[in-house]
Amino acid sequence: MSKTKKIIILCGMVALLVLTGCLNYFLNRTDKTDAANADNTLTYSDYFESSHADRSQSRSETVMYYEAIIESEASSAEAKANAEAELATLIANMETEQRLETLIKALGYEDCIVTVGAENINVVLKSGAMTEQEVAQVLDIVLSETNKIAANVRIKPIEA
């Protein structure tokens, strides 16, 4: 099989993967919106559950995408190296998020979601209004476990 055909096949597979992810996202969003509008009882626990599930599904699809590039014979060495680097970064961010969520929940918060990006870290807590001391405790955990600065950490309490 020629290199051009391999590239076309790989591009087609990637396009189908992206299309599947988009369809899945929009179909699931419609169902949740309809259910919330039907009885107007969307709760914060639903928010945290759906956020965790959406993040998990999105990450699984991204990992599959990178693995497809890495395992494809049609991928260039540069594309494979980039995919491996991106996959390693994604996995490191996932581990950091899980570690931070566990440590923050150990402070007594019922639930939280942490997202680690290239520049910022966002922490959404299931909590009422927070005192300065509580914010400082969460910030201390984030700063001690990452190499971010305080200006790049956002803490958002959501009243349960």
Side-chain angles (χ1 to χ4, degrees):
M1 189 180 295
S2 72
K3 187 173 182 178
T4 305
K5 286 184 180 180
K6 289 179 183 178
I7 291 172
I8 291 171
I9 290 172
L10 179 63
C11 289
M13 289 174 42
V14 170
L16 286 175
L17 181 63
V18 170
L19 177 64
T20 302
C22 290
L23 285 173
N24 193 12
Y25 175 79
F26 288 115
L27 292 175
N28 284 336
R29 280 289 183 208
T30 303
D31 294 342
K32 290 176 187 169
T33 304
D34 291 345
N37 290 338
D39 59 6
N40 278 340
T41 58
L42 184 62
T43 64
Y44 286 110
S45 62
D46 293 337
Y47 167 77
F48 285 96
E49 288 175 22
S50 67
S51 293
H52 284 295
D54 289 346
R55 180 175 68 182
S56 176
Q57 180 180 355
S58 173
R59 296 281 170 81
S60 295
E61 291 171 0
T62 304
V63 168
M64 285 182 1
Y65 169 72
Y66 288 136
E67 287 176 346
I69 292 172
I70 293 167
E71 294 172 3
S72 173
E73 294 177 13
S75 297
S76 68
E78 183 181 347
K80 286 183 181 184
N82 288 340
E84 287 172 347
E86 290 293 326
L87 183 58
T89 300
L90 177 65
I91 290 170
N93 286 347
M94 289 168 47
E95 290 171 352
T96 301
E97 289 169 354
Q98 184 176 11
R99 188 173 60 252
L100 289 172
E101 287 174 0
T102 301
L103 291 170
I104 291 169
K105 286 179 187 177
L107 292 174
Y109 295 100
E110 188 176 334
D111 205 352
C112 71
I113 297 173
V114 176
T115 54
V116 176
E119 297 293 322
N120 298 319
I121 295 180
N122 297 302
V123 180
V124 180
L125 297 163
K126 187 174 187 179
S127 171
M130 297 176 68
T131 65
E132 287 183 22
Q133 182 181 5
E134 291 170 331
V135 172
Q137 287 177 327
V138 173
L139 184 61
D140 181 56
I141 288 173
V142 172
L143 296 180
S144 67
E145 293 294 319
T146 66
N147 60 355
K148 305 292 185 191
I149 60 173
N152 292 348
V153 177
R154 294 184 184 95
I155 300 171
K156 172 74 174 153
I158 295 180
E159 196 161 333

